[in-house]
Amino acid sequence: MSRDWKNLFPSRRMIFLTSGGVVFLGLTARLAELQLFRQQEFETKAREVRIKLEPAPPHRGTIYDRNGRELASSKRNFYVTLRPEVASIARDKQTRQAEIGDVIERIGKLLRLSDAKKRSLLQDATTPPAHRDVLVADDLTWEEFAQINVMAPELNGISAEVGELRSYPLQAAFYHTIGYVQKANEADISRMVDAELAAAGETLDSPEGKKRAAAVRRLYKHPAMRVGKQGIEAYGEMALKGEPGNERLLQNATGRVIDRLPSEDLAGKPGADVVLSIDAELQAIAIRRFGIEAGSAVMIDIATGEVVCMMSTPSPDPNLFVSGIASGPYKALREDERNPLYHKAYDGVYPPGSTFKMVVAAAALETGAMKPEDQVSCPGKAWYYTRFYNCWRPEGHGVVNLHTGLQKSCDCYFYRAAQRTGIEEIAKVAKRFGLGHRYELGITGGKSGVVPNNEWKLTNPRINEKWYDGDTISAGIGQGYVTATPFELAVMVARIAGGPQMPDPHMIVGGIRVPDNTITPMGEFKPGVLEAVRAGMFAVTSEGGGTAVRSGELDPEGKLPAPYTNARMAGKSGSAQVRVITAAERDSRGRAIANEKLPWKLRDHALFVAFAPAENPRYAVSVIVEHGGSGSSVAAPIARDLLAEALRIDPGAKKAFVPRPRDVAAAESGKRPT
């Protein structure tokens, strides 16, 4: 049967044309859908492919003194970064290293970078991942920044940026208290990851935890980001750093960043501002008053418990650490025999010496072991438990009671008082006076002294033996196993002066909560106990024969404001031995080698604790001059001058500064909030 080819061809042509028309209409409809109805959706996706979001460091919170003076703030920072993936696109490792090294060498000449710094940069830049910025240098001058901007087009991967850098306007005055910030190392980043996860109640096992940890790592790897390394900067890192924002980065098809886009709408939340109770003017006066001496001073407002001064000297400038301190200067700081890196006021532990005698006196009166009128004969030494214990005055003090024993600081009296009272009762009173406790102040570090007793000695792994009666004799004058920090001594004298009503000591009054629920309350003493101790301290500075009678007057010219006109202080001196004095080192009259004849490191520490005004106490202070020798001649005049300045300035007379919200302050100044 033959086919009709003429009729078959038109039929097939119609089928093909119809099918083609259907396909064309379908494509046209799909194109219309994509271009007219889903245009915005695909534009958003395209932008997401081209725009990369990176964490942006927020504005770090400011730290103020009680009067609103800035102690730690942020300044404009010109810095330079290197992005390895732009500096070299070579896949070969050696070629890539050579190209990046060439860029580093050229930028190094412009910025006068050391060879060690250039080697460190090369190692960092050639370590994966390549899609990150490596900080080359920061805190540049305007001239350096302008020069880099001019040269940047010729330096692949180099970018000149403007950001913020931490600044400490008062330099060394607050190094130990505020601390400093620095670029985060791996240990810092791990610490902050753990802190962020703990705050969010997440773990690394969960998807959200992994996402949060990755974001924290990216943030602290940012060239402009810093982390608190010690002091308040470290303790308050979570609050001070704020909440990071994001920055839009424009990238090409290969993912390489080619530009930074406006990102104001993605700005983070500024960190919390922190206000200290410390008065910056009083702190500066204390540092000047110490001069070249090494030591510390702590002053507490008895009425409020606020710490108005806490200084340790000498100290370095924290600005040296922000961009990384060179090894040479840092080594010099570490090897300085006066220990400038050591926070003597908070971390220093010393024998309290005769300043501990107030504890023994109060314990003896509280337990009834001694009455105020009980007398003790002091011939210059006393025999206890098969050996002699010397008084600091070889010729003795004659017959003394509690009042004259404190006034003249008679060791023989307090040997007897300690023996009768016993170490357990002495330890109880010491803790009631605030000793033996590490106070939480909102800064890193901090130690507690030792309030020893039989249990402490038995459980101390380095000693592991029972308490002996001879140990009590040494403890009676603040020697032996007894130790205290300058901060604890300030709390001790503040409680003696203020009584049980005195608030617990604290240093941060705004921005961060710093709870300390483990402080031993002072509680009530028997009537007359604290009064007798205060009277003895007044005799030290204001009655003939007192060990610091020359330092009692605070207002010799009557110039202090009311109610402090003609004020006097009450106090107690102390000298803490740093070595054991053998019998061979004493002369025929029992005198030891004079401090001024010894090397500096072998001299006694000079201590003085005091409060003022004596009749209506407002401020309490402890002063320790390391290897200063005599507490009455070296430390007492410093304490006197500091108390006089405190009464003149009277930091507790007005409430502490309250920062305005950052957006309000910016609006009032006509500036956009950071």
Side-chain angles (χ1 to χ4, degrees):
M1 181 179 175
S2 62
R3 295 182 177 181
D4 187 352
W5 293 102
K6 292 182 178 181
N7 294 330
L8 184 61
F9 180 75
S11 300
R12 290 182 175 180
R13 183 175 61 181
M14 183 61 66
I15 293 172
F16 286 134
L17 288 175
T18 302
S19 300
V22 171
V23 171
F24 179 76
L25 289 174
L27 290 173
T28 302
R30 179 61 172 166
L31 186 62
E33 178 193 9
L34 295 178
Q35 289 190 343
L36 298 179
F37 302 107
R38 300 183 64 184
Q39 177 185 4
Q40 186 173 0
E41 174 188 347
F42 286 102
E43 281 183 352
T44 300
K45 289 184 176 181
R47 283 197 300 270
E48 289 175 352
V49 172
R50 293 188 300 113
I51 297 174
K52 176 183 180 183
L53 294 181
E54 278 198 357
H59 175 84
R60 193 172 182 88
T62 302
I63 302 176
Y64 299 93
D65 88 329
R66 67 179 301 111
N67 300 310
R69 187 169 182 179
E70 291 185 357
L71 307 178
S73 54
S74 298
K75 66 178 182 179
R76 187 169 60 175
N77 177 34
F78 299 122
Y79 65 99
V80 177
T81 62
L82 168 67
R83 181 157 288 234
E85 64 176 355
V86 178
S88 175
I89 61 174
R91 295 182 178 274
D92 178 67
K93 183 178 179 180
Q94 289 185 344
T95 304
R96 176 181 173 79
Q97 187 167 1
E99 291 178 348
I100 294 176
D102 179 63
V103 173
I104 291 175
E105 189 65 33
R106 295 171 65 189
I107 193 68
K109 289 181 180 179
L110 287 174
L111 297 176
R112 296 180 295 279
L113 301 180
S114 67
D115 291 339
K117 175 66 173 178
K118 288 185 284 188
R119 287 194 297 270
S120 175
L121 284 173
L122 181 59
Q123 181 178 0
D124 194 9
T126 53
T127 301
H131 54 278
R132 59 186 172 86
D133 290 330
V134 175
L135 180 65
V136 176
D138 63 1
D139 202 13
L140 303 179
T141 65
W142 170 253
E143 290 75 15
E144 291 172 327
F145 181 71
Q147 188 177 16
I148 296 299
N149 268 306
V150 171
M151 298 294 295
E154 302 175 19
L155 299 170
N156 291 337
I158 291 295
S159 179
E161 308 290 345
V162 181
E164 290 185 348
L165 192 66
R166 202 60 160 170
S167 174
Y168 302 98
L170 299 189
Q171 300 175 331
F174 284 87
Y175 166 83
H176 298 100
T177 301
I178 292 177
Y180 60 91
V181 299
Q182 210 172 51
K183 283 291 294 178
N185 56 33
E186 282 301 319
D188 296 322
I189 294 174
S190 297
R191 172 169 57 88
M192 293 314 303
V193 166
D194 293 341
E196 290 278 2
L197 291 177
E202 298 169 351
T203 67
L204 278 174
D205 298 330
S206 67
E208 285 298 317
K210 291 178 181 178
K211 183 179 178 181
R212 184 178 295 274
V216 173
R217 294 191 67 85
R218 287 198 305 272
L219 174 65
Y220 280 99
K221 286 286 188 180
H222 193 286
M225 190 65 184
R226 297 291 188 275
V227 66
K229 298 292 278 191
Q230 68 177 44
I232 295 171
E233 293 279 32
Y235 180 94
E237 174 68 20
M238 292 289 287
L240 283 166
K241 73 177 179 63
E243 296 179 9
N246 285 290
E247 182 181 18
R248 293 185 180 93
L249 302 180
L250 184 64
Q251 56 187 11
N252 61 16
T254 63
R256 181 172 297 165
V257 175
I258 57 177
D259 196 7
R260 284 176 164 79
L261 302 178
S263 307
E264 288 82 358
D265 58 315
L266 301 179
K269 180 181 178 182
D273 293 330
V274 175
V275 181
L276 308 189
S277 58
I278 293 178
D279 187 289
E281 181 183 359
L282 189 59
Q283 184 99 338
I285 290 170
I287 292 173
R288 289 198 301 270
R289 183 60 182 82
F290 267 77
I292 63 171
E293 299 283 5
S296 64
V298 178
M299 186 177 292
I300 297 175
D301 184 338
I302 297 169
T304 64
E306 293 175 353
V307 180
V308 295
C309 175
M310 185 166 75
M311 51 76 65
S312 177
T313 186
S315 64
D317 182 352
N319 293 295
L320 297 174
F321 295 83
V322 176
S323 296
I325 188 171
S327 59
Y330 186 65
K331 181 181 179 183
L333 290 171
R334 287 179 59 89
E335 295 179 353
D336 189 329
E337 65 176 357
R338 298 190 302 159
N339 295 320
L341 298 176
Y342 190 51
H343 193 177
K344 300 174 179 68
Y346 196 45
D347 296 329
V349 178
Y350 307 84
S354 292
T355 63
F356 192 71
K357 290 174 180 175
M358 280 97 70
V359 173
V360 178
L365 295 177
E366 180 75 359
T367 59
M370 299 283 282
K371 297 178 181 178
E373 63 273 14
D374 287 348
Q375 296 181 334
V376 174
S377 176
C378 173
K381 57 185 176 181
W383 179 268
Y384 292 98
Y385 313 114
T386 73
R387 59 161 287 192
F388 277 111
Y389 290 82
N390 292 291
C391 184
W392 69 267
R393 191 168 188 259
E395 57 269 32
H397 292 98
V399 178
V400 295
N401 56 24
L402 184 139
H403 186 82
T404 53
L406 282 171
Q407 175 190 10
K408 300 175 181 180
S409 196
C410 176
D411 292 337
C412 287
Y413 178 87
F414 287 96
Y415 293 149
R416 178 67 59 83
Q419 180 201 33
R420 289 186 179 179
T421 306
I423 193 60
E424 299 300 332
E425 296 301 325
I426 292 173
K428 289 178 184 177
V429 171
K431 290 184 177 180
R432 290 175 65 184
F433 277 164
L435 302 181
H437 179 75
R438 178 198 174 273
Y439 290 87
E440 186 59 80
L441 299 178
I443 62 178
T444 54
K447 292 182 180 178
S448 65
V450 173
V451 175
N453 60 3
N454 184 57
E455 181 184 2
W456 172 86
K457 194 178 179 188
L458 281 172
T459 57
N460 189 306
R462 293 179 298 175
I463 305 173
N464 192 27
E465 64 180 21
K466 70 175 185 178
W467 188 267
Y468 294 106
D469 292 331
D471 296 332
T472 304
I473 304 303
S474 296
I477 61 168
Q479 299 285 352
Y481 297 114
V482 181
T483 60
T485 66
F487 192 87
E488 287 175 311
L489 292 177
V491 175
M492 177 191 75
V493 72
R495 285 190 168 188
I496 290 172
Q501 293 75 32
M502 184 205 147
D504 289 336
H506 54 281
M507 191 182 67
I508 294 180
V509 293
I512 302 176
R513 290 188 65 256
V514 186
D516 189 351
N517 301 319
T518 61
I519 298 177
T520 301
M522 180 178 176
E524 295 284 349
F525 278 84
K526 290 180 179 178
V529 172
L530 294 181
E531 290 81 359
V533 174
R534 293 179 197 134
M537 294 176 68
F538 182 77
V540 169
T541 63
S542 303
E543 295 179 7
T547 56
V549 71
R550 295 180 180 180
S551 299
E553 196 169 10
L554 301 181
D555 190 23
E557 299 179 1
K559 293 184 178 180
L560 285 178
Y564 304 131
T565 307
N566 300 318
R568 299 188 68 87
M569 77 173 180
K572 184 70 189 74
S573 59
S575 297
Q577 296 175 3
V578 298
R579 64 192 182 95
V580 176
I581 301 175
T582 64
E585 293 179 286
R586 297 182 182 272
D587 61 20
S588 59
R589 299 179 61 187
R591 295 181 184 275
I593 301 173
N595 272 286
E596 58 269 19
K597 295 182 180 180
L598 292 170
W600 182 77
K601 291 287 286 186
L602 298 181
R603 298 174 188 174
D604 297 343
H605 296 315
L607 297 85
F608 200 83
V609 297
F611 61 85
E615 68 282 359
N616 187 22
R618 182 59 194 261
Y619 298 103
V621 69
S622 72
V623 172
I624 293 185
V625 180
E626 289 191 338
H627 310 293
S630 168
S632 58
S633 61
V634 177
I638 296 177
R640 173 200 62 204
D641 294 347
L642 294 185
L643 283 172
E645 291 292 345
L647 297 182
R648 177 184 65 82
I649 299 170
D650 204 7
K654 59 181 180 180
K655 291 184 178 180
F657 168 75
V658 178
R660 289 172 296 175
R662 196 168 301 279
D663 54 349
V664 174
E668 291 179 356
S669 65
K671 298 178 181 179
R672 176 178 292 184
T674 303

